[in-house]
């Protein structure tokens, strides 16, 4: 697997104000973004900005979207690496490729987003025949994290916080938990999604106790059905 195959290309721009998550998380991120805007001034006082962030919690609750919003707020490119894809690939040149990705993020002063970060924690207990190479990969990533410069941002995401060992967790200055949304939070999210569709399609039954991603998929599925049904009805009338 070569370097270009490791990168997930995504140029979507997301505003922080459009994120749906807890006020505590929003406040913490707003502070971090302010720190990066005043990075040079803070350096004069030997104050280090938070630039290693761990996002953890339920799947579909906004971790990837949050990473993109941080990059947008700071006007930085985002380099996305899915560690699940990496771990499941042939090892070979992987350590070298990962270092090249970190180098790219550092060179561009970009946001480096490592998704499914728990794959690193799990790999330490691997009984796979490539366990020696895997341990070298884990050690490489740990060293790269330790020396990651403050003018870039490292964001890692996991759905399995407790599978990551404490040595790795200690490396993150900021850790934000993402929980399943409450009914009132989902209602606000549904309202936002439905605003983009014609009024006659907005009155849909709402599902709860699901993630934001599931709510979006569910709403879009209903919208497609309604729109297609309306178009088919219009075509039948035209034929009469």
């Amino acid at each position: 697997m070569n370097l270009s195959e490791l990168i997930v290309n995504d140029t979507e721009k997301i505003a922080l104000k459009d994120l749906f998550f807890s006020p505590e998380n929003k406040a913490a991120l707003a502070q971090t973004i302010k720190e990066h805007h005043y990075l040079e001034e803070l350096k004069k006082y030997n104050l280090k900005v938070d630039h290693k962030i761990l996002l953890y919690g339920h799947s579909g609750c906004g971790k990837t979207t949050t990473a993109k919003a941080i990059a947008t707020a700071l006007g930085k490119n985002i380099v996305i690496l899915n560690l699940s894809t990496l771990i499941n690939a042939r090892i070979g040149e992987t350590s070298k490729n990962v270092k090249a990705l970190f180098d790219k993020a550092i060179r561009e002063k970009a946001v480096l987003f490592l998704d499914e970060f728990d794959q690193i924690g799990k790999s330490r207990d691997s009984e796979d025949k490539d366990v020696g190479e895997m341990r070298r990969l884990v050690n490489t990533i740990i060293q790269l994290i330790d020396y990651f410069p403050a003018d870039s941002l490292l964001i890692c995401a996991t759905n399995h916080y407790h599978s990551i060992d404490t040595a790795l967790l200690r490396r993150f200055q900021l850790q934000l938990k993402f929980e399943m949304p409450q009914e009132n939070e989902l209602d606000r999210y549904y309202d936002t999604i439905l605003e983009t569709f014609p009024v006659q399609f907005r009155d849909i039954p709402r599902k709860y106790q699901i993630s934001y991603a599931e709510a979006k998929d569910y709403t879009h599925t209903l919208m497609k059905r309604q729109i297609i049904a309306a178009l088919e009805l219009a075509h039948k009338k035209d034929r009469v």
Side-chain angles (χ1 to χ4, degrees), residues 7-8 10 13 29 32-33 36 50-53 55 63-81 101-102 104-114 148-156:
I7 300 174
V8 178
D10 197 320
K13 302 294 183 185
L29 282 183
T32 299
I33 288 164
H36 281 266
D50 291 345
H51 69 293
K52 297 170 187 175
I53 303 171
L55 312 177
K63 295 186 291 296
T64 301
T65 305
T66 297
K68 294 176 187 175
I70 293 170
T72 300
L74 294 175
K76 292 179 178 289
N77 293 329
I78 185 167
V79 178
I80 301 175
L81 171 61
L101 281 172
F102 270 79
K104 173 181 171 64
I106 293 168
R107 188 170 59 250
E108 296 177 1
K109 297 183 179 179
V111 172
L112 177 58
F113 179 54
L114 304 183
F148 201 69
D151 57 2
S152 300
L153 229 82
L154 175 66
I155 305 174
C156 298

Side-chain angles (χ1 to χ4, degrees), residues 41-110:
E41 288 82 354
L42 292 173
K43 272 185 185 178
K44 297 173 184 176
Y45 297 93
N46 293 318
L47 292 171
K48 296 180 179 179
V49 299
D50 291 345
H51 69 293
K52 297 170 187 175
I53 303 171
L54 180 68
L55 312 177
Y56 68 96
H58 285 280
S59 175
C61 290
K63 295 186 291 296
T64 301
T65 305
T66 297
K68 294 176 187 175
I70 293 170
T72 300
L74 294 175
K76 292 179 178 289
N77 293 329
I78 185 167
V79 178
I80 301 175
L81 171 61
N82 188 311
L83 286 173
S84 176
T85 302
L86 179 68
I87 300 302
N88 291 328
R90 291 173 62 87
I91 302 297
E93 299 288 305
T94 300
S95 291
K96 186 175 77 173
N97 281 337
V98 170
K99 185 178 184 306
L101 281 172
F102 270 79
D103 288 344
K104 173 181 171 64
I106 293 168
R107 188 170 59 250
E108 296 177 1
K109 297 183 179 179

Side-chain angles (χ1 to χ4, degrees), residues 8-46:
V8 178
N9 292 312
D10 197 320
T11 57
E12 183 181 13
K13 302 294 183 185
I14 297 172
L16 276 174
K17 65 179 178 62
D18 294 330
L19 293 179
F20 286 82
F21 62 174
S22 71
E24 294 80 10
N25 282 356
K26 278 195 176 181
L29 282 183
Q31 173 62 26
T32 299
I33 288 164
K34 284 180 183 178
E35 289 180 12
H36 281 266
H37 283 312
Y38 294 100
L39 186 148
E40 294 303 323
E41 288 82 354
L42 292 173
K43 272 185 185 178
K44 297 173 184 176
Y45 297 93
N46 293 318

Side-chain angles (χ1 to χ4, degrees), residues 164-182:
I164 301 172
D165 66 47
T166 54
L168 283 168
L169 293 176
R170 283 198 302 269
R171 285 167 162 80
F172 296 96
Q173 302 125 327
L174 183 61
Q175 299 184 21
L176 303 179
K177 185 176 183 180
F178 288 69
E179 300 183 283
M180 290 287 280
Q182 301 296 314

